[in-house]
Amino acid sequence: MAITAVLLLSSLGFLAITAQAQNCPRPPKGENMDLKGNDILLTSFPDGTTVTFACNIGYESAGGSPRITCTAGSWSPLGLKCQRKNCFSVENVQDGQIEYRPGTEFGDKAVLICNIGYMPVGGGELTCGSQGWTGRLPVCEVTQCESPPVVQDGSFSPNKDLYEYNDVIDYTCKKDYTVVGSRQLHCSDDGTFKPEPPKCISTAQNCPRPPKGENMDLKGNDILLTSFPDGTTVTFACNTGYKSAGGSPRITCTAGSWSPLGLKCQRKNCFSVEDVQDGQIEYRPGTEFGDKAVLICNIGYMPVGGGELTCGSQGWMGRLPVCEGTSMPSWVLNAP
């Protein structure tokens, strides 16, 4: 019995030694990490081997042990956690702000957005890399405008080689000329002067009375004048019974000529009259200004009271009759 027990214990010890000697396969990759050093090339690891994981480029340890050990063919749990590196915010910039797309972690971008009136000069965008922000940001410089446009028979002040954002210039015209348009222009954020420069027009270049438009005439006291000073703006209005169909009603006298008239006038429409009892409405010829609406009674009815309607500037005018039954014999009503 003693010999049997010894042999049994020896067999168990041999099995234990055999189990302990089992190799481990290549351990699975952790999230955002891999084996460190030459271990990354191996596919089998002897029992008792300890390997180390390292976070991938752009990631850093968020805690936990990076080492695992092969024991009897199995790896111990991996504690290492890896998180994206954070480059954090860039220092404040002058006359602008940084926009992060979408954030400040590895692979994200930092872009300079200049304030209104400033523009980026030099450099480009930053990229969050494994060692921090890489690249070079531009700087924000104030927007400049070159010399303003020259106006015939006029001049501007102040006169400088370069103008900065929001600088203002004033135009004046020589004697016997008047400014038409904006006297002041400013250096805008896109590097141009705005609005459009004015014109200097001779005060002797008056305009005659403008011709009537179709179904319209001058508005107010302007209808009584025959001559209009240069730069004058007049307004047209649709005649009675007509209404605007779009377009500007104003024109301006410039250097003896009127600007084009955009206003269009169309006849007002009174539309259909409500249905009537025992008859129908006949429109002669339609439902627009000046047209007529006449009541036609059904057979066996006749109009009583009222008359016809006329389409006026405020709608239908007048009062329609009503259709009342007639007492005439049927042979009279049905006579050809």
Side-chain angles (χ1 to χ4, degrees):
M1 177 66 72
I3 294 174
T4 302
V6 170
L7 290 174
L8 180 58
L9 289 173
S10 298
S11 299
L12 291 173
F14 176 75
L15 290 173
I17 294 171
T18 301
Q20 291 175 355
Q22 287 179 343
N23 290 352
C24 287
R26 176 187 175 88
K29 291 182 180 180
E31 188 175 4
N32 302 315
M33 65 185 77
D34 211 338
L35 287 172
K36 189 176 180 181
N38 291 331
D39 288 339
I40 200 171
L41 305 174
L42 304 179
T43 57
S44 182
F45 297 81
D47 186 82
T49 300
T50 295
V51 296
T52 303
F53 278 82
C55 295
N56 294 340
I57 294 176
Y59 291 80
E60 60 187 357
S61 172
S65 173
R67 290 175 289 278
I68 58 175
T69 300
C70 174
T71 304
S74 297
W75 291 103
S76 57
L78 175 62
L80 178 64
K81 302 293 182 186
C82 293
Q83 64 184 12
R84 284 172 72 193
K85 285 192 173 183
N86 196 323
C87 294
F88 302 102
S89 299
V90 179
E91 293 182 3
N92 291 335
V93 294
Q94 190 172 359
D95 303 314
Q97 51 276 335
I98 303 297
E99 185 177 276
Y100 299 98
R101 301 175 180 174
T104 60
E105 295 182 321
F106 180 73
D108 292 342
K109 306 290 184 182
V111 180
L112 173 63
I113 307 297
C114 293
N115 296 340
I116 295 176
Y118 292 81
M119 59 177 56
V121 177
E125 63 184 18
L126 302 182
T127 301
C128 180
S130 59
Q131 303 300 316
W133 292 109
T134 58
R136 185 172 69 87
L137 280 177
V139 293
C140 293
E141 293 186 359
V142 65
T143 300
Q144 294 182 329
C145 294
E146 295 183 357
S147 185
V150 174
V151 171
Q152 187 176 356
D153 300 315
S155 59
F156 58 82
S157 63
N159 197 328
K160 301 190 295 184
D161 291 334
L162 286 174
Y163 300 80
E164 293 187 349
Y165 173 66
N166 269 344
D167 278 353
V168 176
I169 58 168
D170 288 276
Y171 280 91
T172 56
C173 295
K174 67 183 185 181
K175 187 178 179 181
D176 296 328
Y177 284 78
T178 185
V179 175
V180 177
S182 177
R183 289 180 175 271
Q184 289 190 333
L185 275 67
H186 67 274
C187 179
S188 65
D189 58 355
D190 64 0
T192 62
F193 277 97
K194 292 181 179 178
E196 290 295 318
K199 294 181 179 180
C200 289
I201 305 299
S202 171
T203 54
Q205 293 178 306
N206 288 355
C207 288
R209 175 187 174 90
K212 291 182 179 181
E214 188 176 3
N215 303 313
M216 66 185 77
D217 209 340
L218 286 173
K219 189 176 180 181
N221 291 331
D222 288 338
I223 199 170
L224 305 175
L225 304 178
T226 58
S227 181
F228 297 80
D230 189 82
T232 301
T233 296
V234 297
T235 302
F236 278 81
C238 294
N239 294 340
T240 300
Y242 291 79
K243 64 179 182 179
S244 172
S248 174
R250 288 175 289 278
I251 58 174
T252 300
C253 173
T254 304
S257 298
W258 291 104
S259 57
L261 176 62
L263 178 65
K264 304 293 182 184
C265 294
Q266 64 183 16
R267 286 172 71 192
K268 287 190 175 182
N269 196 322
C270 295
F271 302 103
S272 300
V273 180
E274 293 182 4
D275 291 339
V276 295
Q277 189 172 1
D278 302 317
Q280 54 276 336
I281 303 297
E282 184 177 277
Y283 300 98
R284 300 174 181 174
T287 60
E288 294 182 323
F289 179 74
D291 292 342
K292 306 292 184 181
V294 179
L295 174 64
I296 305 298
C297 292
N298 296 340
I299 295 175
Y301 293 84
M302 62 174 53
V304 177
E308 63 186 16
L309 302 182
T310 300
C311 179
S313 60
Q314 303 300 317
W316 290 109
M317 300 183 301
R319 186 171 67 87
L320 281 177
V322 295
C323 292
E324 293 186 358
T326 178
S327 58
M328 288 189 294
S330 59
W331 65 268
V332 174
L333 295 174
N334 295 325

